[in-house]
Amino acid sequence: MQSKALVINDLSSFGKCSLTAAIAVLSAMNIQPCPLPTAVLSSQSEFPNFFCKDLTEIMPEYKKAWLQNGERFDGICTGYFANSAQLDSAIDIINTFGKSCRAVLADPVMGDGGKLYPVYDKSACEKMKLLASRADILTPNLTELCILTGADYSSLNGNPDCLERIAQTAKPLADGRGVIVTGIRCCGEICNMVIGGGSVDVIRSKLVDESFSGTGDIFSAVVFGSVLSGKTLLESAKTAARFVELAISDTIKQHHDPIYGVNFEKYLTTLAEVK
């Protein structure tokens, strides 16, 4: 029977990110995506002009209707939240539907480059920590790892022994779950560190100077779909890293504006092989 995956994230028309990316990736992996949009946007928020409609009020109504219909999910994946109330609803949904899931993945989208996103305050960060405690898999970037653990970003970023320090920082967070620290820039490479089951593995990819919209969402979606398909966390992370690397490489060749995302669509057929 086809797996059903609840995906809680925003929906942006331009930027190839969030639900737009996750729906395509999961569908290509023969997994039914069941989206719950937290907001709808004309484009992702790095565009100079965009419209955003907050959908906080619909989240409890989705849960109510699903319960009335007797729905269940094989997995839950979460991404961006616009406010603390959305985090409360997401935690409630995970508490309600997570028991039947094979995997709950949380991408704790809170910041980048050592800085919080503007919508996040101390209260929202604490609620994201609570949501993260409900997850089986976490995919934070380095900034988000520091927020979740209380570590100092400057002490982990760019130092010669940064990978060792990051591993030590992430190990307590990986107690009883898998953690993938994404997008670590180290020694001229981009690294994704996989911590779980008592082991630490580093997946190395070619470093590019540009930052492309949606690559984190694509990475998390491929990891999530691969795990639901029976792959180990390390196998899933390797598949995701390779997929993103292919998409970025193709995009660079075409001199594409990074805010529009990466050309991942042509590689979706490769994900059908993940079984």
Side-chain angles (χ1 to χ4, degrees):
M1 184 178 294
Q2 187 182 44
S3 295
K4 291 189 295 184
L6 169 57
V7 188
I8 309 174
N9 211 333
D10 68 84
L11 178 64
S12 296
S13 293
F14 287 93
K16 296 187 181 182
C17 57
S18 318
L19 285 177
T20 303
I23 290 170
V25 166
L26 294 173
S27 296
M29 302 176 84
N30 193 33
I31 295 168
Q32 178 187 343
C34 306
L36 170 48
T38 57
V40 289
L41 296 90
S42 59
S43 63
Q44 57 99 339
S45 59
E46 290 182 3
F47 278 70
N49 302 287
F50 67 92
F51 168 80
C52 176
K53 173 62 176 178
D54 185 300
L55 298 178
T56 303
E57 72 279 0
I58 76 169
M59 296 179 72
E61 298 303 322
Y62 269 53
K63 177 200 167 187
K64 179 181 177 181
W66 288 334
L67 285 172
Q68 291 171 338
N69 291 336
E71 300 292 359
R72 60 174 298 279
F73 303 99
D74 298 291
I76 300 173
C77 179
T78 70
Y80 175 77
F81 295 100
N83 54 56
S84 294
Q86 291 188 352
L87 282 157
D88 287 333
S89 287
I91 292 167
D92 184 41
I93 287 169
I94 291 171
N95 289 341
T96 301
F97 295 101
K99 298 178 181 66
S100 66
C101 291
R102 297 199 298 274
V104 175
L105 183 150
D107 185 4
V109 183
M110 292 183 285
D112 202 3
K115 297 180 180 179
L116 276 173
Y117 292 138
V119 298
Y120 270 82
D121 55 17
K122 183 177 180 180
S123 173
C125 288
E126 290 304 314
K127 288 182 180 180
M128 181 62 84
K129 290 179 183 179
L130 182 58
L131 186 149
S133 72
R134 303 291 197 272
D136 304 302
I137 303 167
L138 298 174
T139 58
N141 61 29
L142 186 56
T143 299
E144 292 151 357
L145 174 68
C146 291
I147 296 169
L148 291 172
T149 61
D152 177 56
Y153 178 82
S154 61
S155 69
L156 300 180
N157 183 47
N159 292 320
D161 62 345
C162 67
L163 292 179
E164 182 178 345
R165 291 190 182 193
I166 292 169
Q168 292 302 316
T169 300
K171 279 181 179 178
L173 194 63
D175 184 18
R177 67 174 59 85
V179 175
I180 306 174
V181 186
T182 63
I184 304 167
R185 292 172 177 250
C186 184
C187 302
E189 296 175 306
I190 194 79
C191 300
N192 294 291
M193 181 179 291
V194 185
I195 307 107
S199 64
V200 177
D201 296 276
V202 177
I203 303 166
R204 302 174 187 271
S205 302
K206 181 181 178 181
L207 177 64
V208 295
D209 291 332
E210 292 180 296
S211 177
F212 292 88
S213 170
T215 52
D217 297 320
I218 295 168
F219 183 94
S220 294
V222 176
V223 168
F224 180 54
S226 298
V227 169
L228 287 184
S229 299
K231 297 295 184 181
T232 67
L233 187 63
L234 179 57
E235 290 171 334
S236 301
K238 287 180 177 179
T239 299
R242 178 58 178 162
F243 184 79
V244 171
E245 188 175 30
L246 286 170
I248 290 176
S249 178
D250 186 83
T251 305
I252 290 173
K253 291 176 184 178
Q254 298 189 27
H255 306 290
H256 190 65
D257 188 335
I259 68 170
Y260 282 94
V262 293
N263 301 334
F264 70 89
E265 295 90 344
K266 66 193 296 182
Y267 300 106
L268 287 171
T269 54
T270 65
L271 297 177
E273 303 169 3
V274 180
K275 296 179 180 178

